[in-house]
């Protein structure tokens, strides 16, 4: 239900009429303006990889502290197994922190919500992988939670992570940095995102809906987490209502873009997959329904849509650069973390 799945480095993708520009070996370059005057010095490209890796280290430490092993230890061990998986990109918390800082917010104000988003994200993945859902035996380069701890414990671990996330926001967010009114909106946003009108709805239609539900499934199952992360960061940073609406559309487009490209890369590398991988349950995707060429067109449209929404934030200067870079990363996978894309 998210935009942080992991694949090995993959071949470049190209659109016949309008190249998507997926070049894994090229650095990501993002500028606030498409045209740069020739007489002016060229802006230095934003170093997304260093920025992201620095935040991952901080978030990993805070997540480790947020889920100490207590009685009954087996539940906490299962929770930690999925949340602290080595090599996880931490895309939802990084998006949250970045959106908060865009509006001048302190990342210390965002970290509790960022950790909560990762807990909720991990819980959704645990439940997604269950045999009765997507039936996936692996996640983030390791056996999935139910494969190691059993279905019963995986369900309990996921169930426990959802409320732990909410409690973490309330108990750990500095009251001098975030007014209570903003915090209530953050909690309501996360609850909406994971509920029956959000990711749960997307998972239901992925299991039961017809082929015409692919747009809804992609937006709710994969776009929802990125949308929620961007919106929560904006709320914590004090964004105006119109800015929140733009962040919502931006996050949704980036989340779906990531998954569309993921599906394209998987399809292009199927020849090297094992029979077990090929026979694994497949959800509804643009690639399965329309083929690679159409999916590439959808990806290009999503990339343009996300960057269009960012146009209104150029007044914040360099603080918008990470958000532009996220779009390019979702489309191009220009670098890897821990050997994963």
């Amino acid at each position: 239900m998210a935009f942080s799945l992991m694949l090995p480095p993959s071949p470049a993708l190209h659109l016949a009429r309008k190249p998507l520009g997926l070049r894994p070996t090229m650095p990501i370059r993002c500028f606030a303006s498409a045209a740069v005057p020739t007489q002016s010095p060229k802006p230095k490209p934003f170093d997304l990889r260093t920025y992201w890796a620095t935040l991952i280290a901080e978030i990993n430490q805070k997540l480790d502290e947020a889920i100490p092993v207590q009685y009954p230890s087996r539940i906490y061990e299962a929770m930690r197994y999925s949340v602290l998986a080595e090599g996880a990109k931490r895309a939802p918390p990084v998006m949250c922190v970045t959106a908060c800082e865009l509006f001048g917010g302190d990342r210390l104000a965002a970290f509790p919500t960022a950790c909560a988003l990762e807990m909720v994200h991990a819980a959704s993945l645990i439940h997604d992988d269950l045999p009765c859902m997507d039936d996936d035996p692996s996640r983030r380069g390791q056996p999935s939670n139910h494969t190691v701890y059993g279905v019963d414990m995986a369900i309990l671990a996921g169930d426990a992570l959802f409320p732990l996330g909410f409690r973490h926001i309330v108990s750990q967010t500095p009251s001098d940095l975030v007014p209570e009114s903003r915090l209530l909106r953050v909690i309501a946003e996360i609850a909406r995102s994971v509920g029956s009108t959000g990711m749960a709805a997307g998972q239901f239609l992925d299991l039961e809906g017809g082929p015409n539900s692919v747009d809804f499934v992609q937006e709710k199952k994969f776009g929802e987490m990125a949308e929620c992360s961007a919106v929560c960061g904006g709320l914590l940073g004090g964004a105006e209502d119109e800015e929140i609406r733009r962040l919502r559309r931006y996050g949704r487009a980036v989340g779906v873009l990531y998954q569309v490209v993921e599906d394209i890369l998987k399809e292009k590398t199927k020849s090297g997959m094992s029979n077990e991988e090929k026979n694994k349950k497949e959800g509804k995707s643009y690639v399965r329904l329309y083929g690679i060429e159409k999916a590439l067109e959808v990806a290009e449209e999503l990339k343009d849509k996300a960057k269009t929404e960012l146009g209104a934030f150029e007044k914040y200067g360099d603080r918008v650069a990470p958000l532009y870079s996220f779009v390019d990363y979702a489309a191009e996978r220009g670098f890897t973390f821990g050997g994963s894309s």
Side-chain angles (χ1 to χ4, degrees), residues 140-182:
R140 289 175 165 175
Q142 63 183 22
S144 55
N145 197 289
H146 71 270
T147 303
V148 176
Y149 292 94
V151 171
D152 51 355
M153 191 57 62
I155 293 172
L156 291 174
D159 287 348
L161 282 169
F162 284 116
L164 177 60
F166 290 119
R167 188 179 74 181
H168 192 72
I169 293 172
V170 173
S171 64
Q172 299 301 314
T173 303
S175 58
D176 59 324
L177 295 179
V178 184
E180 184 178 299
S181 58
R182 291 185 193 172

Side-chain angles (χ1 to χ4, degrees), residues 286-341:
Y286 291 108
V287 173
R288 286 191 71 195
L289 191 60
Y290 302 120
I292 289 179
E293 289 304 314
K294 175 63 176 177
L296 284 167
E297 292 178 13
V298 171
E300 186 65 40
E301 291 169 2
L302 289 165
K303 182 179 178 181
D304 291 343
K305 182 176 181 180
K307 290 195 173 185
T308 296
E309 296 297 342
L310 293 179
F313 301 134
E314 290 184 3
K315 62 185 178 183
Y316 295 114
D318 292 341
R319 296 203 299 266
V320 75
L323 294 177
Y324 274 109
S325 294
F326 291 155
V327 182
D328 289 333
Y329 178 80
E332 299 174 9
R333 315 299 161 90
F335 55 86
T336 62
F337 286 117
S340 300
S341 64

Side-chain angles (χ1 to χ4, degrees), residues 220-244:
K220 294 298 181 180
K221 191 170 179 179
F222 303 112
E224 195 73 44
M225 194 74 241
E227 174 185 335
C228 177
S229 301
V231 167
C232 285
L235 290 171
L236 292 166
E240 300 292 336
D241 287 347
E242 177 55 32
E243 292 174 322
I244 292 296

Side-chain angles (χ1 to χ4, degrees), residues 96-177:
C96 175
V97 171
T98 301
C100 178
E101 291 185 325
L102 172 64
F103 302 100
D106 189 327
R107 66 174 52 180
L108 293 178
F111 275 138
T113 296
C115 288
L117 286 166
E118 188 63 29
M119 294 176 197
V120 168
H121 178 44
S124 73
L125 297 179
I126 292 172
H127 287 172
D128 266 8
D129 291 340
L130 291 171
C132 61
M133 295 294 180
D134 293 349
D135 193 16
D136 202 328
S138 63
R139 172 69 65 178
R140 289 175 165 175
Q142 63 183 22
S144 55
N145 197 289
H146 71 270
T147 303
V148 176
Y149 292 94
V151 171
D152 51 355
M153 191 57 62
I155 293 172
L156 291 174
D159 287 348
L161 282 169
F162 284 116
L164 177 60
F166 290 119
R167 188 179 74 181
H168 192 72
I169 293 172
V170 173
S171 64
Q172 299 301 314
T173 303
S175 58
D176 59 324
L177 295 179

